[in-house]
Amino acid sequence: MVAAGRFAPGHLGELTQLVPFEMVDDALDRTGAVQSRVRLLPARVVVYLLLAGCLFAELGYVQVWHRLTAGLHGLAVATPTASALRQARQRLGATPLRALFDLLRGPAATTAAGAVSWRGLLVCAVDGTLMSVADSAANLTAVVKQRCNHGAGGYPTVRVLALVACGTRSVIDAVFGPASTGEPGYAARLAGSLRPGMLLLADRNFAAADLLTHLATTGADLLVRCKTGRRLPVRSRYPDGSYLSQLGSLAVRVIEAEISIVTSAGRRTGTYRLVTTLLDPHRYPAGELITLYHQRWEIETVYLELKSTILGGRVLRARTPAGIDQEIYALLVTYQVLRTAMTDATDTIPGLDPDRASFTIALHTARDQVIQAASIIADTVIDLVGAIGRRVLATLMPDRRVRTKPRIVKRAISKYNARGPDIDRTTYKATIEINILDTGP
């Protein structure tokens, strides 16, 4: 079942049940974006067009429209030109997409508490990434090009900073803007989404005393990597090898450990220093915190899914700064509803880790459902899994292996095809050895 009349092309296949008409209409109404008269392309339809454009990132919007209408057999639907679709997107603007993201963002609900929390704390991570945008004169008024390793100017880039629930990889909040502003400059804007009961993981780039003090005022706890050469005074020592210290005005506990990755290819050892606001060594053992910090890599998987799985390494379509905002919010909404559908599916099997759901399978099944215009409105008997969930559950991935090297995401480079050194992509079965160091005076 689809909407009536000119609203019929406005859908997202089965994912429409997670982004229903009423939700889109509410976002349009609250942002004053409802059309004054019903055009051939109503505002609601344009919202779904933008979301579907993220599912079919390799296509232009005219081809995306054909996908939206392919399953509407027997209905008289409009055949807009590329110019008409562009004007409709410009009329809509970015504000409704931002309002829609605000309605949908947040940690995905799941009963698999052990997979998403640690000792009663929701494990989250913050980090940033760069996204390439179209090399247009309008975009260059708001964003800049980054220098590449080989000296050539690449595409203009936008910096995106996200706060993610590690267990489900759902987006709690995100901010973005010119890449000329660094990650710490954007991080403070995410503080409003931190709450008591959260444990925030972050890398060395966020270990500034003022920033951590600001984030700690939210009531969330912190576990952040810190440079080993930084001077941190030893106030008192704990039996587990950690010690109480001070970072600016913030009391922190410092854990230093030697971590060895042992594989059939050899042994690699490095030293980590973590600072945390979890000061009780009995309730929050140092060894467990060191092991837990590995979950920070889940946000890298989020960016891999956004930039590689969804976008396929492509630049964003938008050729204006307003269009960039609109497209990024549409991308975040689409990613979030896919993650929600995946978590809903894994949650039907008690104890199943959401990690085992395949994002690629969910994405391609969702694309099929759009083309078929299937399951747009739920039947009277609610199907908690749906076609996407059934496909995900039928193709579960094996339990996660220990990562031994960082993922590499290719970024488009304009005009020049630079080739770097060959990369060894061999994977090995690995074990981790942790040795808490007793350092300091």
Side-chain angles (χ1 to χ4, degrees):
M1 184 182 297
V2 297
R6 295 178 180 178
F7 290 90
H11 69 88
L12 204 60
E14 186 178 273
L15 292 179
T16 314
Q17 297 182 34
L18 297 175
V19 196
F21 305 146
E22 297 81 5
M23 180 183 290
V24 175
D25 289 344
D26 179 61
L28 291 168
D29 183 61
R30 290 194 293 117
T31 56
V34 179
Q35 65 281 335
S36 56
R37 61 186 177 87
V38 179
R39 302 171 179 265
L40 288 177
L41 296 171
R44 183 209 290 174
V45 172
V46 180
V47 170
Y48 285 113
L49 171 70
L50 287 160
L51 301 182
C54 298
L55 293 177
F56 299 95
E58 75 280 10
L59 302 178
Y61 281 110
V62 171
Q63 288 74 34
V64 174
W65 181 265
H66 293 161
R67 300 313 189 269
L68 284 173
T69 57
L72 304 181
H73 306 294
L75 297 180
V77 296
T79 55
T81 63
S83 176
L85 292 175
R86 182 181 67 253
Q87 292 174 36
R89 299 195 310 274
Q90 290 172 346
R91 283 195 304 270
L92 183 71
T95 308
L97 275 299
R98 179 174 184 172
L100 192 58
F101 174 63
D102 283 337
L103 291 172
L104 289 163
R105 66 184 176 89
T110 176
T111 58
V116 299
S117 62
W118 175 78
R119 294 183 175 262
L121 299 172
L122 178 68
V123 181
C124 308
V126 63
D127 205 357
T129 192
L130 295 176
M131 301 191 75
S132 299
V133 302
D135 190 356
S136 67
N139 282 346
L140 288 172
T141 64
V143 294
V144 297
K145 295 183 179 182
Q146 298 291 301
R147 299 296 294 176
C148 299
N149 293 336
H150 298 268
Y155 282 95
T157 53
V158 172
R159 191 180 303 280
V160 179
L161 201 75
L163 174 64
V164 169
C166 294
T168 58
R169 299 190 203 130
S170 48
V171 179
I172 298 172
D173 202 355
V175 294
F176 55 88
S180 52
T181 300
E183 292 175 353
Y186 287 112
R189 291 167 54 185
L190 294 174
S193 294
L194 294 174
R195 298 285 186 275
M198 289 182 174
L199 176 59
L200 179 66
L201 313 182
D203 66 18
R204 289 174 290 191
N205 202 30
F206 297 89
D210 290 345
L211 176 60
L212 294 187
T213 301
H214 176 63
L215 297 179
T217 60
T218 64
D221 283 296
L222 312 175
L223 180 63
V224 181
R225 191 176 179 187
C226 183
K227 293 180 179 178
T228 55
R230 189 168 186 169
R231 292 183 177 273
L232 294 173
V234 179
R235 302 301 187 198
S236 61
R237 291 195 167 279
Y238 298 117
D240 63 357
S242 62
Y243 60 91
L244 181 66
S245 186
Q246 201 79 17
L247 195 61
S249 60
L250 184 66
V252 295
R253 181 168 150 232
V254 182
I255 305 168
E256 299 187 6
E258 186 179 77
I259 301 178
S260 298
I261 305 253
V262 184
T263 73
S264 57
R267 181 187 190 94
R268 183 176 179 182
T269 300
T271 301
Y272 269 60
R273 173 192 271 183
L274 303 180
V275 296
T276 180
T277 54
L278 298 171
L279 304 182
D280 187 341
H282 301 291
R283 187 174 180 184
Y284 308 108
E288 291 187 26
L289 285 168
I290 288 287
T291 302
L292 180 71
Y293 184 73
H294 190 266
Q295 290 197 31
R296 192 196 71 78
W297 286 99
E298 298 295 347
I299 195 168
E300 302 293 346
T301 302
V302 171
Y303 290 138
L304 180 78
E305 291 164 347
L306 283 168
K307 297 166 65 174
S308 182
T309 307
I310 293 181
L311 292 177
R314 299 174 182 84
V315 301
L316 298 182
R317 300 180 179 90
R319 304 187 65 82
T320 65
I324 291 173
D325 291 354
Q326 184 185 67
E327 190 171 355
I328 291 178
Y329 279 122
L331 184 63
L332 291 169
V333 168
T334 304
Y335 174 85
Q336 185 73 351
V337 295
L338 281 167
R339 271 286 156 203
T340 301
M342 294 165 65
T343 305
D344 287 349
T346 57
D347 217 38
T348 61
I349 301 178
L352 181 62
D353 194 326
D355 267 355
R356 297 189 58 193
S358 168
F359 187 83
T360 301
I361 293 295
L363 172 64
H364 286 284
T365 308
R367 287 162 57 113
D368 292 343
Q369 295 296 293
V370 169
I371 294 171
Q372 298 166 18
S375 304
I376 293 172
I377 299 176
D379 293 330
T380 53
V381 178
I382 303 299
D383 185 356
L384 296 178
V385 178
I388 297 172
R390 283 190 292 274
R391 185 61 178 157
V392 165
L393 293 177
T395 53
L396 291 173
M397 297 188 296
D399 290 331
R400 181 74 62 85
R401 293 179 298 178
V402 173
R403 177 180 296 181
T404 59
K405 58 183 65 180
R407 287 188 174 90
I408 296 173
V409 179
K410 295 180 180 178
R411 241 184 352 108
I413 301 175
S414 61
K415 300 182 182 178
Y416 299 96
N417 182 20
R419 177 182 173 86
D422 290 336
I423 299 168
D424 177 15
R425 291 182 172 84
T426 306
T427 57
Y428 305 96
K429 184 176 180 180
T431 58
I432 294 180
E433 298 175 359
I434 298 174
N435 178 32
I436 305 296
L437 301 177
D438 190 2
T439 59

